[in-house]
Amino acid sequence: MDFFDVVRRRRTMNSHFTDEPVSAADQRLLMELAGRAPSQLNSQPWRFVLIESRETIEAVARISGESMTESMARGAFFDRYKPFFRFSPAEMERHRDGMLFDRLPAPLRPFTRQVFTKRGRLLMNALRVPQTLGAENRKLVAGAPLLLGVMLDRSSFRPDSLTSFYSTFSMGAAMENVWLATVPLGLGIQFISFPMELPERWAEIERLLAVPDDLELMAVYRIGHVPAEKVRPAIDWVSDERKVISQYVFREDCTRAQEGWDAPPQPVAAPGGGAEEARVD
């Protein structure tokens, strides 16, 4: 698997992992590659905590599931992210971004497009959809053999300073290294985001992980081995679409979209009789 193939295969794992633990060798490799990321002035502001304790993972899972239930029951989640939900493959293809919301519980399916209205939320709460989602989220997180907490050194991450941008940008580069490395290792990774929706729940995770005052907990991920056949969770949001290049690249200035690059590269004969993808110059 070459590097370009790794980038194209990168995905967010939104279903269950196998029971196989993530080996110490793989954990070390992920951390070494994270540390190879670029950072301003070589500041290397990232810090990581690897979590295998079942007790801790179960506690994070409980907090995550409860956070999802609470956020959805309040309606805050749907209000904040409704621009990114799609309700049909045709809509997904037209926008080429967002999440395909196609697995609502059967009683809600006739009301799919009303889930963001006040009436729709009342119906979802009456049918205990937030509880169903929260329970599924808890199981996904609890089933992970490894959690990864990502922190930034507060001496670099200062919200009132440009260093905050630099350190966050560097952390993103480090995590992209980790994310890409999971592909050839047969691992999956997913951001555990719901506790961040509720500051008081995020504070619980900070205390659980004993994050010191000089570090800022930025994210927690679940990592594990991808099963041979993935089974979609009870309620699953699909996000496989990608924008075509002309939708996000401009030429010379921001008034002209890049033209001619939207079609995928075509395989061409490679030296020795194999095939390689054509490069667009």
Side-chain angles (χ1 to χ4, degrees):
M1 189 183 301
D2 67 19
F3 176 75
F4 302 118
D5 196 32
V6 166
V7 174
R8 292 185 179 112
R9 288 173 180 251
R10 186 217 58 80
R11 291 289 184 275
T12 295
M13 180 66 175
N14 59 351
S15 57
H16 294 275
F17 296 126
T18 70
D19 295 332
E20 182 182 357
V22 180
S23 71
D26 283 352
Q27 292 182 40
R28 184 197 181 284
L29 178 60
L30 293 176
M31 293 297 92
E32 186 220 334
L33 296 177
R36 296 284 181 174
S39 59
Q40 194 224 13
L41 302 175
N42 196 28
S43 57
Q44 303 174 63
W46 47 73
R47 303 292 185 271
F48 300 95
V49 54
L50 295 159
I51 304 137
E52 293 183 288
S53 160
R54 291 313 312 165
E55 182 180 358
T56 304
I57 291 174
E58 289 283 354
V60 172
R62 175 186 55 77
I63 293 168
S64 183
E66 291 173 355
S67 300
M68 188 175 200
T69 294
E70 187 175 349
S71 180
M72 290 195 164
R74 290 180 184 178
F77 174 81
F78 294 110
D79 289 341
R80 188 172 300 165
Y81 301 114
K82 61 185 177 183
F84 303 104
F85 282 88
R86 313 293 175 224
F87 299 103
S88 70
E91 189 178 3
M92 192 78 176
E93 185 175 358
R94 183 168 68 253
H95 288 275
R96 302 191 72 86
D97 64 7
M99 313 289 282
L100 178 58
F101 203 113
D102 69 336
R103 294 202 74 182
L104 283 173
L108 271 179
R109 287 172 195 163
F111 309 99
T112 296
R113 291 187 176 276
Q114 284 76 50
V115 294
F116 299 128
T117 66
K118 183 178 180 180
R119 178 172 175 269
R121 284 199 292 268
L122 289 172
L123 181 61
M124 289 182 74
N125 287 343
L127 293 171
R128 297 183 59 80
V129 173
Q131 286 78 9
T132 300
L133 287 165
E136 181 66 27
N137 179 270
R138 183 194 62 76
K139 287 191 292 184
L140 282 173
V141 176
L146 178 69
L147 299 185
L148 173 65
V150 186
M151 299 160 289
L152 284 176
D153 186 335
R154 286 184 184 271
S155 66
S156 297
F157 182 73
R158 300 195 302 275
D160 60 343
S161 168
L162 189 58
T163 58
S164 176
F165 166 77
Y166 292 142
S167 60
T168 304
F169 189 88
S170 300
M171 181 196 75
M175 279 310 302
E176 182 71 359
N177 282 2
V178 171
W179 215 301
L180 293 175
T182 63
V183 178
L185 293 176
L187 299 172
I189 182 170
Q190 185 182 38
F191 181 29
I192 301 173
S193 61
F194 271 95
M196 298 188 76
E197 301 287 331
L198 305 169
E200 65 275 16
R201 306 316 300 267
W202 192 242
E204 287 184 50
I205 293 182
E206 290 177 316
R207 291 192 293 270
L208 187 65
L209 303 184
V211 178
D213 290 342
D214 61 339
L215 296 180
E216 178 81 15
L217 182 65
M218 302 297 291
V220 177
Y221 295 85
R222 66 184 191 101
I223 301 175
H225 286 271
V226 178
E229 294 186 11
K230 290 170 60 178
V231 177
R232 291 183 70 182
I235 299 177
D236 181 29
W237 301 324
V238 177
S239 58
D240 288 337
E241 288 286 356
R242 288 293 182 271
K243 291 183 180 294
V244 294
I245 292 176
S246 63
Q247 291 178 294
Y248 61 88
V249 177
F250 302 95
R251 175 64 66 179
E252 305 302 343
D253 61 44
C254 295
T255 66
R256 289 177 285 179
Q258 171 65 51
E259 298 180 353
W261 287 2
D262 288 353
Q266 297 299 311
V268 297
E276 61 180 17
E277 286 188 343
R279 299 290 187 263
V280 180
D281 296 324

